[in-house]
Amino acid sequence: MKQKTNIKKIIKSPIFIFITIVMLPFLIFGIFLLAVPISRPNEYVRDYVLREIPMGTSWDNAIEIIAENKWYISESRTEQGLRIYPNGSAYFANANEMLNGPENVKDRIVGTKAMFVELGEFYGPTHTAVFAWLAFDENDGLVEAVIRRDIDSL
């Protein structure tokens, strides 16, 4: 009987009510973020993209998979691969780099064509947009995926 009385006192206490009101939205929000694949770290997002579009997938099949996933191709280049910087970021290689290699020896050029795909966006606590750079080789197969994350400030 005493134990039930103590539980009732705790539930009625202002601190318990305050903690419940404050923590419940954070708990729900945290569970939501864990359920959204693109909210995870870049390594996980890259693995997720490569599960959807495996290495070796052709350019045309990749476009179909992107449409099925309701992703959006922001830009594509059929005559330029990717320049991947030492820090892991990427951008389309220019024509000179495609012929002569990168100007910076630490950069690497991957593929012969590439696309920039918007995977989606989420809010929490700031607005975040997640993208994937996809590089394809001369045999039209996917050879590289690089994740980019744009985070707006508060």
Side-chain angles (χ1 to χ4, degrees), residues 1 10 13 21 25 31 41 43 48 56 80 84 91 93 105-106 115 127 131 137 148:
M1 187 77 164
I10 292 171
S13 79
I21 291 171
I31 291 170
E43 297 80 22
Y48 166 68
Q80 295 171 302
I84 301 178
Y91 195 72
V105 294
K106 293 182 180 180
M115 63 176 75
H127 175 252
F131 305 90
D137 64 12
R148 173 178 156 180

Side-chain angles (χ1 to χ4, degrees), residues 1 4 8 10 24 26 28 44 58 60 62 70 90 99 101 103 105 107-108 135 140 142-143 149 153:
M1 187 77 164
K4 286 186 180 182
K8 286 181 182 179
I10 292 171
L24 192 59
F26 285 107
I28 292 169
Y44 178 88
S58 73
D60 292 334
K70 295 182 173 49
L99 291 173
E103 294 173 14
V105 294
D107 296 347
R108 59 189 179 101
D140 205 35
L142 179 66
V143 292
R149 186 177 302 263
S153 63

Side-chain angles (χ1 to χ4, degrees), residues 35-120:
V36 177
I38 63 170
S39 69
R40 309 296 296 275
N42 285 355
E43 297 80 22
Y44 178 88
V45 176
R46 183 177 186 273
D47 291 343
Y48 166 68
V49 169
L50 291 175
R51 277 194 306 274
E52 296 295 318
I53 310 173
M55 290 291 190
T57 301
S58 73
W59 178 273
D60 292 334
N61 286 345
I63 291 172
E64 289 177 15
I65 294 167
I66 289 165
E68 288 170 6
N69 281 288
K70 295 182 173 49
W71 297 337
Y72 172 73
I73 299 173
S74 296
E75 190 173 353
S76 64
R77 307 263 176 99
T78 57
E79 296 180 9
Q80 295 171 302
L82 285 181
R83 178 189 329 111
I84 301 178
Y85 301 100
N87 67 3
S89 63
Y91 195 72
F92 293 112
N94 63 43
N96 182 49
E97 290 173 320
M98 293 302 294
L99 291 173
N100 304 316
E103 294 173 14
N104 182 343
V105 294
K106 293 182 180 180
D107 296 347
R108 59 189 179 101
I109 305 299
V110 179
T112 57
K113 55 185 175 179
M115 63 176 75
F116 184 61
V117 180
E118 183 178 337
L119 302 176

